Amino acid sequence: MTKIDTSRPETVLPTPSHTVGPFYGHALPFPGGGDIAPVGHPDALSLQGYILDGEGNPLPDAFLELWGPDPDGNLSQVDGSMRRDPASGGFLGRNGVEFTGWGRVQTDAGGHWTARTLRPGARGRNAPYLSVCVFARGLLVHLFTRIYLPGDEAALAADPLLSRVDEARRGTLIAEDQGNGTYRFDIRLQGEGETVFLEFQ
């Protein structure tokens, strides 16, 4: 963006760039944003992790959005991820019945996030994965990545995207199985162990 100096019309001065947030964290999160799986669903799994800066410090004011297909690999066409109170306009949370495949979670004071969802099914030649969009302070543009779940090594090895990622960095896209239906996925924004981020053109 440029600013025109009207006292000297021939002069064009650059204006400073602006980073994302932390203002996005005030209005965008909503109650139940991480409860992607319907409450009490027997196949729900828990995803959790930290969002870390280049020095390994957790970010307490970041958030991420998650999208994923249902266990059969179908993308949900169901509304209901965010419901508003018609009187106040405030968020009511989810309807708690349909699986919408979408969620939005904010990190807590320790930089930790958590979400409950269903294990995504495979789509096409891809191994099952969840799409992730990361918003954090200091980012000019949000970042995209994926969370692959372990358990089907043949599918992971054949995945078109994973097979193009350097083997030393491939693990930054695969969650760690912590047992009892819980998976850990840390997102490092830069530095050693930086998560692989995707660019869509």
Side-chain angles (χ1 to χ4, degrees):
M1 178 162 33
T2 58
K3 178 173 71 176
I4 298 174
D5 182 348
T6 55
S7 66
R8 296 186 339 173
E10 72 283 354
T11 305
V12 177
L13 304 172
T15 57
S17 62
H18 296 280
T19 60
V20 175
F23 311 109
Y24 54 78
H26 173 68
L28 294 178
F30 62 96
D35 295 324
I36 304 167
V39 175
H41 196 291
D43 299 325
L45 57 85
S46 176
L47 288 168
Q48 60 180 321
Y50 292 87
I51 298 182
L52 308 165
D53 66 16
E55 296 177 350
N57 299 316
L59 296 179
D61 55 2
F63 82 87
L64 51 87
E65 292 184 344
L66 301 159
W67 301 272
D70 67 17
D72 294 324
N74 300 314
L75 295 176
S76 176
Q77 302 296 313
V78 176
D79 291 332
S81 291
M82 271 194 281
R83 294 183 309 133
R84 290 185 180 271
D85 182 323
S88 70
F91 290 116
L92 292 173
R94 299 177 183 276
N95 66 16
V97 179
E98 286 90 5
F99 174 74
T100 64
W102 180 82
R104 180 185 287 156
V105 294
Q106 189 170 10
T107 56
D108 63 18
H112 186 261
W113 64 273
T114 186
R116 289 177 45 266
T117 190
L118 301 179
R119 188 176 187 95
R123 292 179 52 77
R125 296 178 17 223
N126 297 303
Y129 69 87
L130 296 167
S131 296
V132 180
C133 184
V134 182
F135 300 80
R137 64 178 131 127
L139 294 179
L140 295 174
V141 179
H142 46 273
L143 301 172
F144 294 98
T145 190
R146 288 181 177 179
I147 301 175
Y148 289 90
L149 297 178
D152 187 341
E153 300 311 312
L156 293 172
D159 183 85
L161 184 130
L162 280 178
S163 62
R164 293 174 51 197
V165 175
D166 184 271
E167 190 172 351
R169 299 195 61 210
R170 204 170 295 156
T172 69
L173 295 173
I174 303 172
E176 298 173 23
D177 188 345
Q178 308 225 291
N180 298 320
T182 301
Y183 296 86
R184 179 170 176 171
F185 188 79
D186 293 338
I187 298 171
R188 185 179 288 269
L189 299 181
Q190 57 181 220
E192 186 177 347
E194 177 183 330
T195 300
V196 171
F197 295 106
L198 310 175
E199 183 176 301
F200 295 96
Q201 298 179 349

